[in-house]
Amino acid sequence: GRGYATSIPPHHFVYPHFIGGRIAHFTLKDPKKEDKWQLKRAHSDPDWIIYGQDALASSEIWMVEGEDDRITLMEYGGIQTAVAIIGNTNTPRILDWIGQNARGKTFYMAFDPDDAGKKYTAKFGAAAYNSGGTVYIVDLASHDGDIDDVLRAAGDPAAMVETLKTNAQSLNLSEQGEDSEYTFGSFEVLGEMFDGRLAFWSSAHRRTYFYEIKELTLDQLCQIGGWEVRERVSRTQQEGMLQFKSLKTYLICKAGDHYLGNLKVLGQGVHLLRDGRLLIVNGDEAKIWDGKTFVPQEYPILDRQYISGESDLRWIDMNRVAKKTLSMTRETAQEIVDKLIGVISRWQFAHSMEQIMLTGWVIAQVVQTAWEWRPQLWLSGASGSGKTMLTQLIEAIGGNLVCRFEGNILTEPGLRQTLQNHAYCTIIDEFEQSAHRDRIIERLRSAGRGGKGAIGSSKQEAVFSHIRHMILIASIETGLIRAAEQYRYLLIQTAKDNRIKPTIPSPNELEVIQEDMVAYALWSVFEAKKLIRNFDGLPGYDNRWVHSLLVPFSMIAVFDDDPDDTLRQLVEDYLEYWSASQEGGIMEDEASLLQDILLASVRVAETVEDANGDTKTLYVDRTVGQIIEFDEVDEEKHRTLQTYGIRVTEEDELFFYPEVIAKKLLGRTRWQDLNLRDILLRCENAKRGRGYIAGTRVRGVIIPPHTWVQT
């Protein structure tokens, strides 16, 4: 529907997969072994199962790993009924076919003599045996090579095949221990979770299932293990089949032997592992990146962490990304960054440094869990300045890895539960319309260092959640009122210019930009972290604020010939612009609190005289500061002031009783749940002391005159 594109790179071997007389699929092989990219399984014929599929109709089937193994076995060894699994290319369909058709057939497992080959033998061999097939394990370990090498080196390949068949070991799970009859190739029980649920890993579907014991039925087990379970398990006692009741009891006991507890879950996205490597979870596939190589992660539990994979959540072509990452040069890296800056520069910003910082931040967000400190980004601007369209651009570039919320309907639990354990690149738009803004901002305070949250459950056990995200917030204004917040957020402002009409690239362009951006992020992240660790700091600036700037700018500086100097220059240039634009910015918390107290309104009695000379009492609103400054001799008003926790001493000092102030004067404000005593003590020359409030001697905070007058 969108024209044509080159799908098969030049200088690759192409293997057509036939079903009868038609081609159902292609697989590829790079003779240089640099490119592991394959055509997507989704584009194959719906009936496609395996390479050499016609051989599945035979009574004797040889199973090998690769295309060359199969061709050599056919041409040199004379075995025409060979099939090749091509790694994990189509494992679920293969296991389904074995579960339905293995009975009465003989299988020879001739996989490579390495760890991967052993796993294939255990998986497919057990599935074939448990589904009624006869299975032989071909010994290649003693020949020190795969089936391709062994037959090509043999003087008489046909005789070598006969020798291999003769020496093959029969797989008989029933003789391998009393538990062998409960062994399945399509699934295994991983263990018991903290809440008593059983965790299962399905090889047939490449995902994990969780069930409470009382909920586990034969239907659920068929959902987990597919056709192998259907062929082997029955509800009632039948000859040659396992009774479900007995199997369930075994699975419960087996799970109890492997207590998993409250495992940390790793969902979609890029995750930092405990050893410093990165785990990329892309749909139902996972790879580990250490800065040099990509290693597939097949097992769902890694370092007591559970990998949650879902095939329909795949967000990128990881094989193409891996190829681009491994072949990345400084020149290519600069081209990628320049291109991304060019796309973002279609919008008008308050300053050119902002578009550079935004570009670095968007790249850094891909690997957000890797940072020791994660700055949030707040995008503001007037209505019509292109904020929403800019967030749509970032969403389009990130693809399915991006989770975008509308602020007017977002709640804090909704944010937390949607993100859960996924490393989504998160955007919150129209945040000025959020009724839950304060709670969401409060929640994001823990994201910088990756704080852990705990929520009680009905079983009296805590359920933990982690916020380790860099989140983009967009609104008309920033909504930051606490001084501490300005160091957690990078502020970007779009400018309204009717002459500029920014556009979002086409879907084909966006796909390339996304792959380039992810590849660049993976290529640069480890070096960028080194740059940050080696940065000496900048005197006169808050360390956390500087660290917030280092994250995006390090991703821009990393490809330069002198990245340390470039990073320092970028940060200093930005701070020069930022300092000039911060006049009248957010006050420190203590000054802001003192100002809010002095501007707070109280109702007081006031005597007035009418035109006839008669006096009467009215109740009017006055600020605390007005009473102190203009009504210093009005004892009635000062007695009223004491009921709100404030007293003017004989030395014109202000004595504050914070607990009453928080409750009666600043209730339902941003200060009501904070420790006002500690904040007030940060004021210049403030001190602890005792004083009388409404006839009662209490402990409070004393503020000298010059401090509160200046405020």
Side-chain angles (χ1 to χ4, degrees):
R2 297 184 298 181
Y4 296 89
T6 302
S7 295
I8 299 175
H11 312 298
H12 281 52
F13 290 106
V14 183
Y15 300 85
H17 293 219
F18 285 89
I19 301 177
R22 74 182 191 276
I23 296 176
H25 192 45
F26 295 98
T27 50
L28 317 174
K29 183 174 291 186
D30 178 8
K32 296 181 181 180
K33 298 185 178 180
E34 296 175 351
D35 184 8
K36 297 182 180 181
W37 179 74
Q38 293 290 349
L39 295 173
K40 293 183 179 180
R41 187 170 54 188
H43 299 322
S44 65
D45 187 294
D47 296 328
W48 172 69
I49 301 173
I50 200 170
Y51 182 52
Q53 188 161 329
D54 292 344
L56 295 178
S58 307
S59 59
E60 180 180 298
I61 301 169
W62 282 62
M63 299 189 74
V64 296
E65 283 191 41
E67 298 94 339
D68 293 343
D69 294 335
R70 174 178 176 263
I71 293 173
T72 299
L73 187 57
M74 295 171 68
E75 293 187 353
Y76 284 71
I79 301 295
Q80 302 303 310
T81 57
V83 297
I85 63 169
I86 324 292
N88 288 303
T89 302
N90 205 22
T91 296
R93 290 291 307 279
I94 297 171
L95 288 172
D96 277 351
W97 183 90
I98 290 174
Q100 297 178 65
N101 300 282
R103 188 173 299 279
K105 294 180 181 291
T106 299
F107 295 83
Y108 284 89
M109 302 289 158
F111 298 116
D112 296 354
D114 55 18
D115 290 341
K118 291 177 182 177
K119 291 180 181 179
Y120 296 141
T121 297
K123 182 186 301 179
F124 296 111
Y129 176 85
N130 290 330
S131 300
T134 301
V135 180
Y136 292 94
I137 311 301
V138 176
D139 176 26
L140 292 173
S142 60
H143 296 275
D144 194 25
D146 59 22
I147 192 72
D148 182 33
D149 297 330
V150 171
L151 294 184
R152 287 180 181 274
D156 186 349
M160 175 58 72
V161 168
E162 291 302 318
T163 299
L164 292 174
K165 289 183 67 173
T166 301
N167 295 334
Q169 297 293 315
S170 174
L171 177 64
N172 188 349
L173 296 178
S174 63
E175 296 177 356
Q176 295 183 9
E178 59 183 25
D179 293 342
S180 58
E181 64 176 314
Y182 297 109
T183 302
F184 286 76
S186 56
F187 79 90
E188 63 178 294
V189 59
L190 297 175
E192 178 185 343
M193 301 298 290
F194 78 100
D195 55 5
R197 291 179 300 159
L198 308 184
F200 296 89
W201 167 247
S202 171
S203 301
H205 305 305
R206 294 190 56 76
R207 57 177 174 264
T208 308
Y209 294 84
F210 298 91
Y211 284 108
E212 293 187 7
I213 293 175
K214 63 181 180 181
E215 294 178 349
L216 183 61
T217 65
L218 182 54
D219 292 335
Q220 271 80 48
L221 204 59
C222 285
Q223 182 185 25
I224 297 169
W227 290 99
E228 183 185 6
V229 174
R230 182 179 182 275
E231 293 293 320
R232 292 186 55 204
V233 185
S234 68
R235 288 185 174 84
T236 60
Q237 187 69 48
Q238 296 186 31
E239 185 177 354
M241 298 188 74
L242 280 171
Q243 188 177 12
F244 173 69
K245 182 178 180 180
S246 174
L247 175 60
K248 181 177 180 179
T249 302
Y250 169 80
L251 295 174
I252 293 171
C253 294
K254 191 74 173 176
D257 290 340
H258 299 88
Y259 181 69
L260 301 177
N262 195 2
L263 283 182
K264 179 182 175 182
V265 181
L266 304 175
Q268 298 300 304
V270 182
H271 301 273
L272 179 67
L273 299 176
R274 294 186 176 99
D275 59 6
R277 296 179 299 166
L278 296 177
L279 174 74
I280 303 122
V281 182
N282 177 41
D284 61 349
E285 69 174 346
K287 293 181 184 295
I288 295 176
W289 168 243
D290 62 0
K292 297 179 179 178
T293 58
F294 289 92
V295 178
Q297 175 65 30
E298 299 291 342
Y299 198 65
I301 295 193
L302 174 65
D303 195 17
R304 289 202 59 77
Q305 299 177 99
Y306 155 61
I307 302 171
S308 175
E310 291 289 343
S311 58
D312 60 342
L313 295 180
R314 190 165 294 195
W315 47 274
I316 205 165
D317 190 316
M318 198 57 221
N319 290 323
R320 286 208 292 264
V321 168
K323 181 180 179 181
K324 289 184 176 183
T325 305
L326 294 171
S327 62
M328 187 80 65
T329 63
R330 290 186 181 274
E331 292 74 19
T332 307
Q334 183 169 359
E335 290 175 4
I336 291 172
V337 173
D338 288 346
K339 183 177 181 180
L340 191 55
I341 290 177
V343 173
I344 290 177
S345 297
R346 298 175 184 179
W347 278 257
Q348 183 70 23
F349 295 92
H351 193 275
S352 59
M353 288 300 299
E354 293 191 352
Q355 65 193 30
I356 298 174
M357 185 171 70
L358 176 59
T359 302
W361 190 91
V362 169
I363 299 172
Q365 191 186 29
V366 175
V367 287
Q368 58 194 330
T369 63
W371 308 108
E372 294 179 6
W373 170 258
R374 280 165 287 278
Q376 314 304 313
L377 188 139
W378 202 308
L379 171 66
S380 64
S383 178
S385 63
K387 295 188 309 300
T388 295
M389 192 173 182
L390 182 56
T391 64
Q392 290 171 346
L393 167 71
I394 297 171
E395 178 185 21
I397 292 175
N400 290 337
L401 186 61
V402 173
C403 188
R404 186 171 183 272
F405 298 98
E406 293 295 333
N408 59 333
I409 55 176
L410 177 65
T411 65
E412 185 275 328
L415 173 67
R416 171 169 34 86
Q417 293 168 16
T418 301
L419 296 182
Q420 291 183 341
N421 301 286
H422 300 294
Y424 287 139
C425 297
T426 306
I427 298 172
I428 306 176
D429 194 14
E430 305 290 349
F431 198 47
E432 70 276 0
Q433 300 179 21
S434 173
H436 304 271
R437 190 151 120 167
D438 290 343
R439 286 198 62 190
I440 292 173
I441 291 176
E442 183 69 32
R443 181 66 175 175
L444 295 184
R445 286 186 183 130
S446 66
R449 294 289 181 194
K452 179 189 292 186
I455 301 174
S457 68
S458 59
K459 296 187 177 183
Q460 305 303 311
E461 295 190 36
V463 177
F464 296 100
S465 63
H466 293 77
I467 295 290
R468 303 178 68 186
H469 296 73
M470 293 167 57
I471 296 179
L472 188 155
I473 295 173
S475 65
I476 293 175
E477 39 67 60
T478 63
L480 298 178
I481 54 178
R482 295 278 310 283
E485 302 293 358
Q486 67 179 331
Y487 302 125
R488 302 176 189 270
Y489 290 87
L490 301 175
L491 305 180
I492 301 288
Q493 186 173 354
T494 52
K496 191 171 182 178
D497 190 336
N498 294 329
R499 298 169 299 174
I500 297 177
K501 297 186 181 300
T503 57
I504 295 177
S506 69
N508 286 341
E509 291 177 294
L510 288 168
E511 184 177 11
V512 174
I513 292 173
Q514 183 202 29
E515 291 175 358
D516 288 345
M517 181 180 71
V518 174
Y520 177 85
L522 295 173
W523 173 80
S524 61
V525 61
F526 294 111
E527 289 300 317
K529 291 178 70 174
K530 289 181 183 177
L531 290 177
I532 293 175
R533 285 196 294 268
N534 294 336
F535 196 87
D536 293 333
L538 291 172
Y541 292 99
D542 183 271
N543 287 333
R544 185 165 53 184
W545 174 231
V546 173
H547 207 138
S548 293
L549 296 172
L550 289 175
V551 172
F553 285 131
S554 67
M555 297 300 272
I556 300 295
V558 72
F559 61 77
D560 196 81
D561 292 334
D562 188 355
D564 293 281
D565 184 67
T566 301
L567 176 59
R568 178 168 291 275
Q569 190 64 52
L570 285 170
V571 173
E572 288 178 348
D573 288 350
Y574 180 84
L575 286 172
E576 182 180 352
Y577 146 70
W578 177 81
S579 298
S581 66
Q582 287 303 299
E583 186 67 30
I586 301 174
M587 291 190 297
E588 293 298 329
D589 287 345
E590 57 271 25
S592 180
L593 172 59
L594 189 54
Q595 178 176 274
D596 283 357
I597 292 174
L598 295 174
L599 292 177
S601 178
V602 297
R603 178 150 287 228
V604 294
E606 191 166 288
T607 302
V608 296
E609 185 176 301
D610 60 18
N612 299 321
D614 298 328
T615 61
K616 59 180 178 179
T617 301
L618 300 177
Y619 286 90
V620 296
D621 290 329
R622 293 286 184 265
T623 67
V624 172
Q626 286 176 322
I627 296 173
I628 294 172
E629 184 175 2
F630 301 115
D631 298 312
E632 55 186 41
V633 296
D634 193 326
E635 295 183 2
E636 181 64 30
K637 290 181 180 178
H638 279 260
R639 280 195 293 271
T640 301
L641 204 59
Q642 289 185 44
T643 65
Y644 289 91
I646 303 169
R647 179 187 177 116
V648 182
T649 68
E650 295 179 358
E651 294 79 15
D652 286 333
E653 295 176 325
L654 293 185
F655 179 80
F656 293 113
Y657 186 37
E659 288 74 11
V660 173
I661 293 174
K663 183 178 180 181
K664 299 188 66 175
L665 193 65
L666 299 179
R668 297 185 179 181
T669 71
R670 57 190 167 120
W671 305 107
Q672 65 176 358
D673 296 322
L674 301 182
N675 187 333
L676 302 191
R677 185 182 299 270
D678 286 351
I679 298 175
L680 287 171
L681 283 169
R682 297 178 202 155
C683 292
E684 185 179 2
N685 294 324
K687 59 184 178 182
R688 302 177 189 273
R690 291 178 178 270
Y692 285 95
I693 293 290
T696 304
R697 186 171 172 81
V698 295
R699 296 177 183 271
V701 177
I702 300 173
I703 306 291
H706 73 275
T707 299
W708 63 263
V709 169
Q710 183 180 26
T711 300

